[in-house]
Amino acid sequence: MIPSALSYTKAGTLDEALAAVAAGARPLAGGQSLVPMMRLRLAAPEGLVDLGGLAELVGICEDGDELAVGAMTTHRSVAADPQILASCHVVAQAASGVGSLVIRNRGTIGGSLGHADPHADLPAALLAAGGAVIVRSSRGERRIEADDLVTSYLTTSLASDELITQVRLPKGAARSAYAKFHRRAIDWSIVGVGVTIGSAGTRVAVTGVGDRPLRATGFEDVINAGGSLDEAVAQAGTGMSPLDDLDGSAEYKLHLVGVLARQAYTEASGR
Amino acid sequence: MATVERVTSGGIGDSVLRKEDRKFVTGEGRYVDDLKLPGMLHGAFVRSSFGHARIVSIDASAALAMPGVHAVLTHATLPVVTGVLSASNPGGDVRHPEQAVLAKEFARYVGEPVAMVIADDRYLASDAVNAVHVEYEPLPVVVDAEQALAPGAPLVHAEYDSNLCKTLESITDGFDAALAKAPRKVTLRVHNQRVTPMPMETRGCIGDWSNSTGEVTLYTSTQVAHFVRTFISIVCGTSEAKVRVVTPDVGGGFGAKLNTYREEFAVCAASKVVGRPVKWIEDRTENAVATIHGRDQTQYYEAGVAENGRILALKLDAIQNNGAYNQLLTPSISHLTLFMVPGCYDIQDVSITIRQAFTNTTPTDAYRGAGRPEATHGIERLLDAIADELGLDPVEVRRTNFITEFPYASATGLSYDSGDYAATMDVALGHADYAGFEARRAESKQNGRYRGIGLSTYVEVCGLAPSAVTAALGIGAPGWEHSTVRLHPTGKATVITGTSPHGQGHATSWSQIAQTELGIPFEDVEVIHGDTAFQPYGLGTYGSRSLAVGGIALYRSLGKVREKARELAAHLLECSVDDLEWTGTSWQVKGSPDRAKTIQELAYAGWTAATLPEGIEPVLEATTFHDPPNFTFPFGTHICEVEIDPTTGRIEILQYTAVDDCGNVINPMIVDGQVHGGIIQGLGQALFEETVYADDGQMRTPTLVEYLVPSAADVPPMSLHRTTTPSPSNPLGVKGIGEAGTIAASAAIVNAAVDALSVLGIRHIEMPMQPARIWKLIEEAKS
């Protein structure tokens, strides 16, 4: 539980942060996942650049048909924001269930998405919503759609000099919900399912069943073709191969995908 | 239960707010890690990454080359004279394998300390640990106790011909005949899983050895400072009179700190080597492997039963996993199980055999309840299995078998002091609305859920312990307790106690007793403990003993001071002691309130010694060493009501009702707190917690992500009540409540879950009842 030696700088401006990241420093957002990993020496960055002083990365505002959420906005702020609750409910609901209140007060949406833990809720919620992130480097800015963000365990498609600065949430994701199953209130999801019933169809994303959040295409195909919810639930785990571990067997987790997809879909339908 | 008003000062029976809490809640507690001695260095341990291995070589050259690293010590270079000692059955019919302070040739569990690094700071020490290269030759591993006792199992200790540590046996003469005569037989296998005590403050210690005087001071987070002092002197080879052990504030123990550990010896010996104080603070992942675990007992029950549910004969064959070595009391813990196998039931024919096995795992030892939860969980599960088998109500099976007359001589040799088990159960049934349960079950069924209700009618043995009994059990330590009461010239009082509070609130409860018994106001009493330099030998805090043994020692010292004050008062008032009456705060001439001396006036008079009666020494001060004549036997009924969602397997506790009887109560608020915490700890074992080893000896639950301790959000609605049956064994009529909640809770919760699923034909569930397991049971039962 003793981290290895490292250098620490607190960025005063976004440009300073980008320069530090480009030089190899690991960005420190809320620290709720990274710091425990460092204490276990599962992560041993040589340098950290603390984003905690960058007010420009905090806040939520409307921007066309999307909501723009600063990457350093805390889970608690996301969960309580009236605009997100009203127009992209699945993300607010996922944020409201992350860890404990103490963790939600510190953990950030950008940090969670950039960390890309395979049991995290926000990446799946963003995927279900069909959102995106804006990433920046000294080379410029680009947009990464949620479908393309997480590539593997704790790995994203960001280049090594890029930083998530903003999260884009579609305002058309009002009919949406997030359902999760975990053992204690403060635990990671064993399985979590986000559902958005949008004008272009239903999107369903699942956490905890692979190396990254996965679209439940089996469920989506049935529902989008006008099939019944029971049929969709039966197909919810298609193509997913979760691991057997202390949380339960692969069979159990696949079963949970169906249970939670039903729950989230039903809840979203009523919204 | 009527709401009891909380007050800031009071005597016996008042819910006085805890005087020690202000410093804890404002962050002003002082724990070992808060102590910084001049010149202090920091230690860290290289620990075995193998479950079983021969240590081929240790290369510390890279670590020693790091600037700021002072030493890397191994078995060969650490200056100690013996290995770790056990108090259980020294020299008796038990195998005590050598446990070197740092591993000698073999490492026998993951986490066993192999070398110790001393460095300028804790971070550097950790880096240096990683730089020590240990070459291991892996050896065959056995982690399961039943497998360890099977023929051909890998030997944990090659010097023995098997992994058997000790066999405990208690078989009554009439058992075979009684079992043969019984018309019905009920069998049950129960595994009481391995758990980790997980105090909020991990262990930690500072050794400070003076090479000029030979004096050594150890600051350590412990429940048993004097034990530690005795053992430090023996292991480190120095005079006990030169060893001082200081216990600062201790952030929880749960039995984990009722021990003497390798690291405590190592910091002292290391300090001797480097000539500077050496601190070691255990981190959380170290705590998971380096601090004792609890439970890990597998039980095979067979009951011979009459058609009405009366138990005629009871057999238990159990296997206890001791881990790789015997810690302080490892072989004695399952003796407490043996004692309590019959529970609160009148069963005079028993056959109990408990075999203890060595395995390649962290040693097990006392964990809240220490042996008794294993007995209670087993017998309470068995009672429900009997009811299920015979088609009887579990309540009636209990009523049929309850012990009803006291004192009661149990088949395992105990004398239960007092109780009224049926009365307590009836109170609980009322509060839990047991009669209305079936309607609630039907309602849940309508919603697609299974509802169940379960009882645990427990009795436990605490107030450890009459010294003659510990001696008879082969424990090389007594069970008495010490107290000193000292009145100062200003009339204030200091109470020195040999108990060792680490969350229990002794400063408050002891002050309440002093106010009631000696008339010194609550706020004028200071309670001090935990420094062997100034206090007489004390045995510490464990086994729900502090009040029933240490509290009685205090009561007796207070009485001695009060009687000395009486002689002084008679002298000053020029009357006979028989003419005086105690008002609660003063001695007065009977019927003459104007002729009186307050206890404060008498304290001053005793100190000035201006005029003393003949044969009376100055100063009002008294010391007592109290050896209890018997254990105490708290009891009660806990009732749990659960609902199970078959789609996920989640168990929700809807209501938890507890009626406990711990005899007379000093502070109702503190008792409630102990019961709340105890129940949650039992709930943790029932629903969440399990320390899991892989077959290769690696621990699969090394962090709090895998090892699930209940959080505040997981606490169910609890309804607490009490009955009061004083213990006849001590003058305060107290019993003990520190462990009762934990002892009772797991069986009530599991019984409720089994009851919920009994419609599916399920008759037993092992702990922890994680959702995945419940879901699978339901799916299998349905198909």
Side-chain angles (χ1 to χ4, degrees), chain A residues 1-5 39-41 180-188 190 244-249 251-253 255-256 259-260 263, chain B residues 122-123 126-127 130 283-285 647-648 650 687-688 692 700-701 703-711 713-714 768 770-772 775:
Chain A
M1 303 297 274
I2 306 292
S4 44
R39 293 179 66 89
L40 292 164
R41 296 200 173 193
K180 68 191 283 189
F181 189 78
H182 50 180
R183 289 182 63 189
R184 299 172 305 173
I186 57 173
D187 284 327
W188 293 98
I190 296 174
D244 290 327
D245 58 25
L246 292 175
D247 287 331
S249 63
E251 181 196 10
Y252 176 64
K253 292 178 187 175
H255 166 76
L256 286 180
V259 170
L260 296 168
Q263 186 184 328
Chain B
R122 182 68 177 89
Y123 292 88
S126 275
D127 291 342
N130 289 345
D283 72 32
R284 186 56 71 187
T285 46
T647 66
T648 61
R650 185 193 292 288
L687 296 181
F688 298 118
V692 182
R700 297 185 65 193
T701 50
T703 77
L704 292 171
V705 173
E706 300 90 10
Y707 190 87
L708 307 184
V709 178
S711 73
D714 304 301
Q770 64 262 64
W775 176 76

Side-chain angles (χ1 to χ4, degrees), chain B residues 51-264:
Chain B
H52 194 189
R54 192 171 73 85
I55 298 163
V56 179
S57 64
I58 300 172
D59 178 2
S61 54
L64 288 167
M66 297 167 76
V69 173
H70 293 255
V72 177
L73 300 169
T74 65
H75 173 74
T77 54
L78 190 75
V80 292
V81 300
T82 74
V84 178
L85 305 172
S86 174
S88 285
N89 216 356
D93 58 344
V94 54
R95 285 169 169 168
H96 276 304
E98 180 185 9
Q99 183 183 176
V101 174
L102 295 172
K104 172 184 168 184
E105 195 176 357
F106 296 100
R108 296 185 172 88
Y109 64 92
V110 167
E112 179 161 3
V114 171
M116 183 184 190
V117 171
I118 317 296
D120 279 341
D121 67 60
R122 182 68 177 89
Y123 292 88
L124 180 59
S126 275
D127 291 342
V129 161
N130 289 345
V132 175
H133 178 70
V134 182
E135 186 185 344
Y136 295 99
E137 176 193 335
L139 296 169
V141 169
V142 61
V143 298
D144 177 89
E146 287 187 90
Q147 288 173 14
L149 293 181
L155 291 176
V156 178
H157 298 278
E159 64 266 36
Y160 304 133
D161 62 1
S162 79
N163 292 315
L164 185 69
C165 169
K166 179 182 173 123
T167 300
L168 303 173
E169 243 179 17
S170 177
I171 302 173
T172 56
D173 292 340
F175 171 77
D176 288 335
L179 184 66
K181 210 172 56 184
R184 302 289 289 268
K185 309 277 196 297
V186 178
T187 61
L188 186 68
R189 177 192 187 272
V190 180
H191 179 61
N192 205 299
Q193 82 272 28
R194 180 178 288 244
V195 285
T196 300
M198 209 63 78
M200 198 177 293
E201 183 206 17
T202 57
R203 290 189 295 123
C205 47
I206 306 169
D208 185 10
W209 192 299
S210 164
N211 281 314
S212 56
T213 65
E215 291 169 343
V216 55
T217 302
L218 175 69
Y219 303 85
T220 186
S221 182
T222 186
Q223 300 170 228
V224 286
H226 280 89
F227 268 136
V228 173
R229 182 182 66 174
T230 300
F231 282 14
I232 290 285
S233 75
I234 298 170
V235 173
C236 294
T238 187
S239 162
E240 189 168 359
K242 285 185 181 291
V243 181
R244 176 185 178 196
V245 175
V246 181
T247 310
D249 288 327
V250 174
F254 308 115
K257 296 170 184 172
L258 162 54
N259 231 306
T260 59
Y261 283 99
R262 300 188 197 220
E263 294 86 355
E264 290 171 320

Side-chain angles (χ1 to χ4, degrees), chain A residues 76-212:
Chain A
R76 192 176 189 189
S77 298
V78 170
D81 184 74
Q83 294 180 96
I84 302 177
L85 279 164
S87 54
C88 192
H89 194 86
V90 59
V91 168
Q93 197 172 3
S96 73
V98 172
S100 63
L101 186 61
V102 177
I103 288 171
R104 293 194 292 275
N105 275 339
R106 285 196 157 270
T108 67
I109 188 168
S112 178
L113 294 170
H115 189 68
D117 188 286
H119 283 272
D121 297 313
L122 268 307
L126 188 74
L127 184 57
V133 297
I134 305 298
V135 303
R136 180 126 36 118
S137 71
S138 56
R139 296 172 289 123
E141 196 172 81
R142 67 181 177 120
R143 177 184 173 109
I144 304 175
E145 298 301 325
D147 285 281
D148 304 321
L149 178 61
V150 182
T151 57
S152 183
Y153 290 106
L154 307 174
T155 309
T156 65
S157 54
L158 269 70
S160 61
D161 62 345
E162 286 178 325
L163 198 59
I164 297 175
T165 54
Q166 205 178 72
V167 181
R168 308 289 295 193
L169 306 179
K171 285 160 67 181
R175 294 183 73 208
S176 64
Y178 192 80
K180 68 191 283 189
F181 189 78
H182 50 180
R183 289 182 63 189
R184 299 172 305 173
I186 57 173
D187 284 327
W188 293 98
S189 292
I190 296 174
V191 176
V193 178
V195 170
T196 300
I197 305 172
S199 54
T202 292
R203 288 174 66 99
V204 180
V206 186
T207 192
V209 293
D211 62 354
R212 60 191 187 283

